[in-house]
Amino acid sequence: MTKLKFIAFILFTALIASCSSDDNKDENESEESYFNFTYNNETKTVTTWEALKQGDFIEVLGTSSQGLAIDFKFNIYGNLYQALTNPATANSNFPHLEASEIFTANTFTFTLENLNTTDKTVQVKYSGKVYENGYDLDSESVNVSGSFKVSYKEIDPLIPNQGTSAKIDGKDWHGLSMSTSNENGVKILNIDNDSEYNFGITLPDDSETGAHTFTNDSEIKVAFQKYDLTTKEYVNYEVAGTITYTTISDFYVEGKFSLTATHPTNNSKIVISNGSFKEGIPLF
């Protein structure tokens, strides 16, 4: 399963920095705000930044005086969906780079230190590699690191309460439909975050609300994968469980699920419980 470069159904776009650490500071910007950024062992002076919060999702963009921007998309639980570095001006020579799109947390550390919903500030530390090709860890890369504390503007989400959550062997997991596919009239919502796990929720074109018991061979099911650091490939687990579609509209699907995932060769099991989802439906 792979992530789209632009997260579907969420108003995450390339932000135009409008809040400055100096003369152009937003009226709600705290005097304690800062944005530190090191790129390829060189300190970049971030002079402008902007942050948006939309439901559970946040985007922060910082732009340096050297003509380099860094952009983060993440959720309120601290899961990083994307980290990008881009040239900020037409004459900038910096390349377009991105954090790994495969098990991002393995090569990029992103720590949400504080989210103050009263003051509307977000504080983060980060470090890791950004690559020429986020799906190829052998491609050219640069080390980045830094921290920021910035004020954010809040906007209404297109789909309130969008996202997917579950307990994986008792531990909380939060993700988002990052990409979609269509196989023989069956839409697959690929649910991902920065961890080694992801889900694939199927939605046949003639789907109706209601409960469905599934196995690995079912058309309606929740597929499950885990990334193997040894083989550097995703393992497709055998699945058995139940999914309930509670709402299917023109724009989103909502429901609940639980399942047991079994490794195809060593038969080890992972229990997924308390699953719930509300995800946008692709137009195709």
Side-chain angles (χ1 to χ4, degrees):
M1 301 177 189
T2 57
K3 301 176 185 176
L4 290 178
K5 298 301 179 184
F6 299 96
I7 299 174
F9 306 105
I10 298 181
L11 193 58
F12 274 158
T13 60
L15 296 176
I16 300 174
S18 63
C19 300
S20 169
S21 58
D22 297 313
D23 298 330
N24 192 33
K25 199 176 288 184
D26 183 88
E27 61 180 3
N28 295 319
E29 194 72 40
S30 167
E31 293 296 331
E32 299 178 354
S33 296
Y34 58 84
F35 203 124
N36 302 315
F37 178 25
T38 299
Y39 177 92
N40 200 23
N41 297 318
E42 294 182 0
T43 299
K44 302 301 179 185
T45 305
V46 177
T47 54
T48 61
W49 54 74
E50 187 172 1
L52 293 178
K53 180 177 181 293
Q54 187 178 48
D56 288 350
F57 309 102
I58 302 171
E59 181 174 9
V60 176
L61 172 70
T63 304
S64 74
S65 59
Q66 293 86 0
L68 179 65
I70 186 165
D71 186 13
F72 298 96
K73 298 177 178 70
F74 54 100
N75 65 20
I76 63 173
Y77 308 102
N79 298 118
L80 178 65
Y81 290 126
Q82 283 185 331
L84 310 170
T85 60
N86 298 298
T89 59
N91 59 356
S92 174
N93 294 321
F94 291 103
H96 294 265
L97 302 176
E98 61 181 338
S100 173
E101 299 282 9
I102 302 170
F103 189 3
T104 308
N106 184 51
T107 54
F108 201 102
T109 300
F110 184 87
T111 304
L112 178 59
E113 295 191 305
N114 187 53
L115 177 63
N116 189 321
T117 55
T118 301
D119 294 340
K120 295 187 177 181
T121 60
V122 57
Q123 184 175 358
V124 163
K125 282 187 178 180
Y126 62 93
S127 64
K129 291 182 177 293
V130 286
Y131 299 86
E132 184 178 41
N133 182 345
Y135 299 98
D136 180 5
L137 300 188
D138 293 323
S139 63
E140 293 293 326
S141 65
V142 167
N143 287 307
V144 299
S145 62
S147 59
F148 59 79
K149 180 181 179 181
V150 299
S151 298
Y152 62 80
K153 298 176 183 178
E154 196 153 15
I155 58 178
D156 293 333
L158 297 180
I159 301 176
N161 303 314
Q162 183 178 4
T164 297
S165 64
K167 287 187 178 294
I168 300 180
D169 280 343
K171 296 182 179 180
D172 290 336
W173 187 95
H174 299 273
L176 178 69
S177 179
M178 299 281 204
S179 66
T180 58
S181 52
N182 195 322
E183 298 179 7
N184 300 319
V186 178
K187 294 182 177 68
I188 302 174
L189 308 179
N190 298 321
I191 315 297
D192 204 353
N193 65 11
D194 55 358
S195 74
E196 67 267 48
Y197 303 114
N198 56 43
F199 296 91
I201 297 177
T202 64
L203 185 67
D205 286 344
D206 57 354
S207 296
E208 297 180 353
T209 57
H212 305 268
T213 299
F214 62 84
T215 64
N216 218 57
D217 297 325
S218 302
E219 183 179 56
I220 295 176
K221 65 180 180 181
V222 179
F224 180 79
Q225 293 183 326
K226 181 181 179 181
Y227 189 74
D228 189 317
L229 287 172
T230 301
T231 64
K232 296 182 179 179
E233 293 181 349
Y234 279 101
V235 176
N236 293 301
Y237 277 62
E238 301 288 327
V239 294
T242 302
I243 181 172
T244 302
Y245 303 127
T246 55
T247 303
I248 301 175
S249 74
D250 292 337
F251 305 105
Y252 70 89
V253 57
E254 186 174 9
K256 300 179 179 180
F257 64 91
S258 62
L259 63 118
T260 298
T262 304
H263 193 283
T265 57
N266 64 28
N267 292 322
S268 61
K269 297 185 183 300
I270 298 175
V271 176
I272 294 95
S273 59
N274 294 3
S276 64
F277 60 94
K278 186 177 183 181
E279 299 287 357
I281 298 176
L283 298 178
F284 59 82

